[in-house]
Amino acid sequence: QVQLEESGGGLVQPGGTLRLACSASGSIFNFYDMSWYRQAPGKQREWVATIASGGSTDYAEFVKGRFTISKANAVYLQMNDLKPEDTAVYYCNAKNLAGFSFWGQGTRVTVSS
């Protein structure tokens, strides 16, 4: 069982920055593809970004050029130029080739003036 814990959410003004972190139980980042998803109020959860176990990255179109996913001792999501439409609960996901998938509890990001 993989346990994930997100942190770093909060209230930020439009144009601001936040850095989310996802820590995991155990050293899993070389064996799992790690992703960030988000769920805005009243909307379905949507994929934001992935960093594969090998290190390649991919982004949803709506965050390209603004968000950066990386990993070291945790998985990070650097969010720049935040917009009100980025307001959501952000979730960390770990998934391996066998199809096992784990989720964190989420961290709330609010972009508002």
Side-chain angles (χ1 to χ4, degrees):
Q1 183 80 7
V2 172
Q3 292 181 324
L4 303 173
E5 183 174 4
E6 302 93 338
S7 61
L11 173 64
V12 63
Q13 293 187 341
T17 66
L18 279 176
R19 188 193 196 205
L20 306 183
C22 172
S23 60
S25 57
S27 300
I28 68 166
F29 301 139
N30 289 335
F31 306 103
Y32 283 75
D33 293 344
M34 302 298 300
S35 298
W36 286 95
Y37 287 75
R38 69 186 188 185
Q39 187 166 17
K43 295 187 176 181
Q44 291 191 331
R45 191 172 299 190
E46 61 183 357
W47 169 71
V48 175
T50 295
I51 185 164
S53 57
S56 61
T57 59
D58 197 10
Y59 298 90
E61 284 296 324
F62 53 80
V63 302
K64 279 184 178 179
R66 300 189 298 125
F67 291 10
T68 302
I69 190 170
S70 63
K71 62 180 179 179
N73 293 326
V75 174
Y76 303 98
L77 187 68
Q78 177 68 40
M79 305 188 294
N80 299 330
D81 189 24
L82 283 161
K83 306 176 187 298
E85 51 264 40
D86 295 318
T87 295
V89 177
Y90 283 72
Y91 296 91
C92 181
N93 173 264
K95 186 175 181 180
N96 68 7
L97 290 177
F100 289 100
S101 180
F102 302 94
W103 294 90
Q105 293 299 307
T107 185
R108 185 175 303 276
V109 172
T110 303
V111 184
S112 175
S113 55

